[in-house]
Amino acid sequence: MIRLYNLKKVYRTDQVETIAIANANLRIDPGEFVAITGPSGSGKTTLLTILGLLDNPTEGQYYFLGEDVSKLSEKRRADLRRKNIGFVFQNFNLINQLTVYENIELPLLHIGVASLQRKQMVMAVMDKLRITTRRNHYPQQLSGGQQQRVAVARAVVGNQKLILADEPTGNLDSRNGEEVMELLGKLNEDGATVVMVTHSTEYASWANRIVQLFDGHVTNENILEGMRSVSELS
């Protein structure tokens, strides 16, 4: 699914050059759950924005679903992003003026899904994530854990192939954080590829592979014995 070859990202001003990603090589196959870890400023979020086609590398190549996306136009990248990638953010990024249903429906509107099909898809994902009773609520009426559940639903409503999660438990207490990890684990078991940035060693253990970054370099990759099964926790 993902292949990075000597990927480099440099931010430049008139006086300073900052290397955020330095000659990264990485392979992520369909169906993997990969945790990206490392200290603050190591390039984790920068790498995630490139994987999510929100930014272009300065040098190197990025192949997504077999296509070199490194030099694509913004229009083509946006099209690939909308149809294939779902995002889960630390701050939820829900729209306060929209209901739970409308927030989840939004990605389907952007890719032109017909009204009846949209309704079926939104209702199905709300049922799967157990938030149907909240469909007419607004984000400010929900707890942090409920808001992140809605954010996860929005990320997967279009059956996206790749889920990118940037510190998805960062604003949650341990109980709600564990619940969000269970959701991501279940989505991965159902076939989604999940790439998650996290500072937490505990949450990283949900992945089947940990990629460590330091000063923009991929310094280590650990293959875990296997992600903790959701069924083991029930």
Side-chain angles (χ1 to χ4, degrees), residues 32-207:
E32 284 199 277
F33 189 154
V34 176
I36 300 175
T37 66
S40 296
S42 60
K44 301 185 301 299
T45 295
T46 297
L47 180 59
L48 209 68
T49 60
I50 292 174
L51 295 182
L53 304 177
L54 295 170
D55 199 2
N56 276 329
T58 306
E59 298 177 15
Q61 293 175 296
Y62 171 22
Y63 284 85
F64 178 63
L65 298 176
E67 181 176 2
D68 185 357
V69 297
S70 311
K71 307 298 181 183
L72 290 182
S73 68
E74 173 53 32
K75 183 178 183 300
R76 175 59 180 153
R77 286 192 294 125
D79 187 54
L80 279 172
R81 186 170 61 241
R82 284 194 298 264
K83 293 178 179 178
N84 297 288
I85 304 174
F87 296 88
V88 181
F89 301 98
Q90 177 176 346
N91 295 321
F92 318 134
N93 285 12
L94 301 176
I95 299 176
N96 287 329
Q97 293 76 23
L98 300 181
T99 64
V100 165
Y101 182 99
E102 292 166 339
N103 267 283
I104 297 170
E105 180 187 38
L106 199 57
L108 302 180
L109 289 168
H110 289 162
I111 59 176
V113 177
S115 177
L116 179 58
Q117 186 180 4
R118 285 201 312 273
K119 182 176 180 179
Q120 292 171 339
M121 294 171 74
V122 174
M123 294 303 293
V125 78
M126 285 197 302
D127 182 61
K128 182 177 182 179
L129 298 185
R130 303 191 305 276
I131 51 176
T132 304
T133 59
R134 303 288 183 177
R135 59 172 296 182
N136 294 320
H137 290 204
Y138 291 89
Q140 59 268 32
Q141 297 174 304
L142 306 177
S143 69
Q146 290 167 342
Q147 289 187 59
Q148 193 61 294
R149 188 175 284 270
V150 175
V152 171
R154 181 186 58 189
V156 303
V157 67
N159 299 312
Q160 283 82 353
K161 297 179 176 68
L162 175 64
I163 306 301
L164 300 178
D166 190 2
E167 296 283 1
T169 61
N171 283 335
L172 303 176
D173 59 31
S174 58
R175 182 180 64 82
N176 283 311
E178 191 81 4
E179 184 176 89
V180 168
M181 293 309 304
E182 288 183 24
L183 289 177
L184 293 176
K186 182 62 168 63
L187 292 168
N188 179 246
E189 287 185 353
D190 290 344
T193 303
V194 179
V195 180
M196 174 185 69
V197 162
T198 182
H199 282 95
S200 168
T201 303
E202 177 185 356
Y203 293 143
S205 71
W206 281 82

